[in-house]
């Protein structure tokens, strides 16, 4: 499995190298990741969205493997949405990585999560406001990603995250989330957040937005994504942004 992931990494690298600089009408790129999949089957409304929409799956959930397989069949980028320890008290997933774990337990738990989502090309954190501030913990994460040829997306649940710094030190490709789409589940708010992501993409050349499989989120995306082209925005898979750095 690790060998196949490394081969996939190099195949992706060739794709990234072939992309070149953005040109023409699409001067800006937008990637959208839908988190928290796995507890329910893949929503039909999500399956109906463009294949460029990436999905992130919680491990050890009833539908983690089925969702990974279906998303892969739909030619989506698949991520492992790895639970990580938060600063504040909250219900924790069974597979949550914590600061109290020793290195062996920590990395075994992460590898087990990756085995549950075998199509993952990257990992992003579920919660994690405590763990992503911890350099040692992030080093342990990056060691596993390096050996399996994966990259990291920092969900950026804290401004004090050191994930990108530790990834760079271990030569692991890494990106960060710029906009959360739906921490308020209203059509107006989600539309405003998508507009914010579009502005960020135009300003910096790209942006990454994270949302959740709420019916209202998927409905707003189905309405607004067809309008991106007219705004000079290209919707892309997350993997297509790996040549960018924050």
């Amino acid at each position: 499995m690790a060998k196949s992931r490394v081969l996939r990494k190099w195949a992706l690298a060739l794709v990234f190298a072939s992309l070149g600089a953005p040109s023409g009408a699409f001067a800006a790129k937008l990637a959208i990741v839908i988190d928290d999949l796995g507890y329910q089957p893949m929503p039909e409304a999500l399956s109906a969205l463009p294949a460029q929409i990436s999905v992130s799956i919680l491990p050890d959930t009833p539908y983690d493997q089925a969702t990974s397989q279906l998303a892969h069949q739909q030619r989506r980028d698949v991520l492992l949405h790895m639970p990580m320890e938060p600063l504040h008290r909250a219900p924790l997933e069974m597979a949550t990585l914590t600061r109290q774990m020793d290195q062996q337990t920590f990395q075994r738990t992460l590898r087990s999560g990756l085995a549950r989502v075998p199509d993952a090309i990257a990992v992003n954190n579920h919660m994690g406001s405590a763990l992503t501030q911890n350099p040692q913990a992030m080093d342990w994460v990056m060691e596993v990603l390096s050996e399996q040829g994966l990259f990291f997306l920092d969900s950026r649940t804290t401004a004090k995250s050191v994930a990108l710094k530790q990834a760079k030190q271990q030569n692991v490709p890494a990106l960060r989330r710029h906009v959360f789409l739906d921490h308020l589940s209203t059509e107006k708010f989600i539309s405003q957040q998508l507009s914010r992501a579009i502005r960020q993409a135009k300003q910096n050349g790209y942006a990454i937005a994270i949302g959740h499989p709420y019916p209202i989120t998927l409905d707003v995306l189905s309405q607004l994504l067809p309008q991106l082209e007219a705004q000079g925005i290209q919707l892309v898979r997350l993997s297509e942004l790996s040549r960018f750095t924050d």
Side-chain angles (χ1 to χ4, degrees), residues 9 13 45 51 66 76 109 137-138 141 163 176 182 192 208 223 243:
K9 176 183 178 181
R76 301 184 189 277
T109 302
M138 287 298 98
V141 168
R176 58 156 289 184
D182 53 7
Q192 290 173 339
I208 298 170
Q223 294 179 49
R243 63 189 178 84

Side-chain angles (χ1 to χ4, degrees), residues 42 55 57 66-76 78:
M42 174 94 83
V55 298
I57 303 168
T67 302
S68 178
Q69 182 179 17
L70 178 57
H72 183 67
Q73 290 172 354
Q74 294 175 350
R75 306 191 59 159
R76 301 184 189 277
V78 176

Side-chain angles (χ1 to χ4, degrees), residues 54-235:
S54 304
V55 298
S56 194
I57 303 168
L58 289 159
D60 295 318
T61 50
Y63 294 91
D64 53 2
Q65 294 180 318
T67 302
S68 178
Q69 182 179 17
L70 178 57
H72 183 67
Q73 290 172 354
Q74 294 175 350
R75 306 191 59 159
R76 301 184 189 277
D77 279 355
V78 176
L79 292 82
L80 171 66
H81 196 34
M82 193 66 198
M84 299 187 187
E85 182 184 359
L87 281 170
H88 304 292
R89 293 190 130 210
L92 299 182
E93 307 291 330
M94 288 182 58
T96 300
L97 301 175
T98 71
R99 294 170 293 178
Q100 289 70 45
M101 290 176 169
D102 60 44
Q103 182 175 1
Q104 183 178 14
T105 303
F106 186 103
Q107 292 185 324
R108 183 176 64 243
T109 302
L110 177 53
R111 291 187 183 101
S112 176
L114 287 165
R116 295 290 303 181
V117 186
D119 300 299
I121 63 167
V123 170
N124 74 320
N125 52 294
H126 173 67
M127 300 192 291
S129 53
L131 203 75
T132 57
Q133 293 188 44
N134 187 294
Q136 182 179 69
M138 287 298 98
D139 277 344
W140 292 348
V141 168
M142 301 312 160
E143 284 180 10
V144 174
L145 300 194
S146 179
E147 74 184 23
Q148 299 209 20
L150 307 179
F151 68 94
F152 188 76
L153 171 64
D154 188 352
S155 300
R156 201 70 177 176
T157 55
T158 172
K160 296 180 180 179
S161 173
V162 298
L164 295 187
K165 178 181 177 182
Q166 304 311 121
K168 185 175 182 180
Q169 289 183 0
Q170 297 204 38
N171 296 313
V172 172
L175 295 163
R176 58 156 289 184
R177 182 272 315 163
H178 300 105
V179 175
F180 277 126
L181 292 175
D182 53 7
H183 43 285
L184 293 179
S185 293
T186 68
E187 182 174 348
K188 179 180 179 180
F189 182 80
I190 297 166
S191 299
Q192 290 173 339
Q193 291 299 95
L194 183 60
S195 295
R196 182 181 167 199
I198 289 169
R199 291 194 300 271
Q200 175 109 22
K202 289 182 175 180
Q203 179 178 344
N204 296 330
Y206 79 106
I208 298 170
I210 288 180
H212 299 85
Y214 307 143
I216 185 65
T217 301
L218 302 178
D219 183 58
V220 171
L221 290 177
S222 71
Q223 294 179 49
L224 297 184
L225 291 183
Q227 302 175 25
L228 292 181
E229 182 176 346
Q231 300 179 65
I233 298 292
Q234 183 181 13
L235 183 67

